Amino acid sequence: MEGAGAGWPEPVVRVQSLSESGVATIPDCYVKPESERPAAAALTTTTEDGGGIPVVDLSSPSDPATARAVSEACRDWGFFQAVNHGVPAELLRRARGVWRGFFRQPMEVKQRYANSPATYEGYGSRLGVEKGAVLDWGDYYFLHVRPPHLFDPHKWPHLPPDLRETTEEYSREVAALGGRLMTAMSVGLGVGETRLQEAFGGADGAGVCVRVNYYPRCPQPELTLGLSSHSDPGGMTVLLADDRVRGLQVRRRGAWVTVDPVPDAFIVNVGDQIQVLTNATYRSVEHRVMVNAADERLSVALFYNPKSDLPLAPMPELVSPDRPALYKPMTFDEYRMYIRRKGPRGKSQVDSLKATAGGGVNASTS
């Protein structure tokens, strides 16, 4: 247990420690309200038309058909699975392996990297600083990769010995994939192929972060979640899901669709910043993570974000008298403070930026 210092409102308890202690019931602080529990809503692995989230083949990235497929997925689902993406499968296995190795280290090793809510960088077990909040059943490790002034080598674990080198290589490869996806998204919008990247501050201005999620076994998975329902606050997320255990669910027309990961694929989703920039042509979508009693689960998320001090608003090309700007300008630095204070809260933040029917903006930014 970590004390309530360093900005946390309460002592931090590692979920992995709770799980490994053999508790038969979860503490009350992890029990979700009935309406948010996994069994409270319809669950399915397919939609009413029999399909799951789209699968997009990226083997021909310059083919207009690829841009169309990416664009259609971003418009309709906000999610897709990317196959033939160019990142070696062997690197995906190494990335999963080193981080499983980290979470198997003794607690005193992991505690050296304990994080604070100032930057969240390091080893953590909660999002948000509200005292008495209902917590999620999961631990994580968060790292800044870009821009260079945020890269802190002291936050990168030394064990396992190949973790740093593997994570740096993985981040470079997946960030490059993020750039290719930005091009496809731009082409699919009918704007210049570099337009979205320019709105992010250029390729060198884009921020890159990695969050490794570890969801230990849970004795009462029907009462809690590994990660509460939310849309991602950044630009785009490229997720390497667990290769053995399902858990990610996407909200679709009132039902929760469980994602069945394609081997060696990435799960890509639109974040709130791209929803704002595209004036809601591309949509960020609520998703959540289930836990289970039989197996632990690990995933690696890379967040591809806009330059943090750049005001973002709908791109002029996507604003017209028939479709006025839906969102007021805000920097990503300002925007992400919401989730850092309150934790995951559905789509309440991006919705708070919407313009009013009369053309003004909603004054509530939570």
Side-chain angles (χ1 to χ4, degrees):
M1 180 182 293
E2 184 185 339
W8 298 116
E10 298 150 326
V12 175
V13 177
R14 302 305 179 188
V15 177
Q16 185 177 5
S17 295
L18 279 174
S19 176
E20 293 176 353
S21 73
V23 295
T25 58
I26 63 175
D28 289 345
C29 61
Y30 297 97
V31 177
K32 301 295 181 183
E34 285 193 23
S35 62
E36 298 176 18
R37 295 176 189 174
L43 304 178
T44 181
T45 56
T46 60
T47 59
E48 61 274 14
D49 59 6
I53 70 169
V55 177
V56 177
D57 187 341
L58 300 179
S59 58
S60 300
S62 59
D63 188 334
T66 301
R68 283 196 300 271
V70 168
S71 182
E72 288 171 6
C74 292
R75 293 168 191 261
D76 186 31
W77 276 83
F79 267 81
F80 61 92
Q81 297 201 61
V83 299
N84 299 319
H85 42 66
V87 181
E90 178 269 339
L91 179 57
L92 309 187
R93 288 189 284 273
R94 279 196 286 130
R96 287 191 188 103
V98 294
W99 282 103
R100 284 188 176 121
F102 172 79
F103 283 101
R104 290 175 184 142
Q105 296 296 316
M107 185 55 68
E108 60 266 24
V109 172
K110 297 193 286 280
Q111 283 292 99
R112 295 173 194 164
Y113 305 99
N115 72 349
S116 82
T119 67
Y120 280 88
E121 193 165 20
Y123 177 49
S125 298
R126 67 179 291 163
L127 287 171
V129 293
E130 290 191 344
K131 191 170 184 178
V134 178
L135 304 178
D136 291 330
W137 189 266
D139 300 324
Y140 64 85
Y141 206 104
F142 182 76
L143 288 168
H144 287 292
V145 179
R146 293 193 332 220
H149 73 270
L150 290 180
F151 179 86
D152 183 354
H154 300 292
K155 295 291 188 180
W156 290 61
H158 289 83
L159 294 173
D162 54 345
L163 183 147
R164 289 186 175 205
E165 180 181 355
T166 299
T167 305
E168 287 177 356
E169 180 184 359
Y170 177 86
S171 300
R172 286 193 304 271
E173 290 281 345
V174 182
L177 170 62
R180 297 193 294 273
L181 289 168
M182 292 282 280
T183 298
M185 289 180 184
S186 290
V187 171
L189 286 167
V191 297
E193 66 177 28
T194 62
R195 186 65 181 91
L196 262 181
Q197 191 75 72
E198 290 166 1
F200 267 42
D204 294 334
V208 175
C209 308
V210 171
R211 176 178 151 135
V212 184
N213 305 295
Y214 178 75
Y215 305 107
R217 289 183 291 272
C218 178
Q220 294 178 297
E222 71 281 2
L223 298 182
T224 191
L225 291 166
L227 190 56
S228 296
S229 175
H230 67 289
S231 61
D232 289 346
M236 170 175 53
T237 304
V238 183
L239 179 77
L240 179 63
D242 194 287
D243 54 346
R244 299 173 294 193
V245 184
R246 297 187 310 177
L248 176 64
Q249 295 186 318
V250 176
R251 194 175 185 93
R252 174 78 167 175
R253 297 171 184 166
W256 287 103
V257 179
T258 301
V259 178
D260 197 0
V262 175
D264 298 329
F266 284 112
I267 299 170
V268 180
N269 66 279
V270 173
D272 292 345
Q273 304 308 304
I274 285 181
Q275 175 168 320
V276 168
L277 284 169
T278 65
N279 209 23
T281 302
Y282 294 162
R283 301 182 304 112
S284 63
V285 172
E286 283 185 73
H287 50 287
R288 67 182 189 181
V289 176
M290 295 192 303
V291 292
N292 64 76
D295 296 294
E296 64 183 16
R297 184 173 177 274
L298 181 138
S299 65
V300 184
L302 182 136
F303 303 113
Y304 195 90
N305 296 325
K307 191 172 184 290
S308 63
D309 59 355
L310 190 67
L312 298 182
M315 295 188 292
E317 304 96 309
L318 301 176
V319 175
S320 69
D322 293 332
R323 190 175 179 82
L326 297 176
Y327 307 100
K328 64 180 180 179
M330 180 178 283
T331 69
F332 183 48
D333 269 340
E334 294 168 327
Y335 191 91
R336 63 183 167 189
M337 287 308 298
Y338 178 95
I339 195 169
R340 290 184 172 184
R341 291 196 312 267
K342 296 180 177 292
R345 296 283 181 91
K347 292 202 66 174
S348 57
Q349 186 183 11
V350 71
D351 287 346
S352 76
L353 299 184
K354 286 184 177 177
T356 64
V361 293
N362 186 338
S364 171
T365 59
S366 299

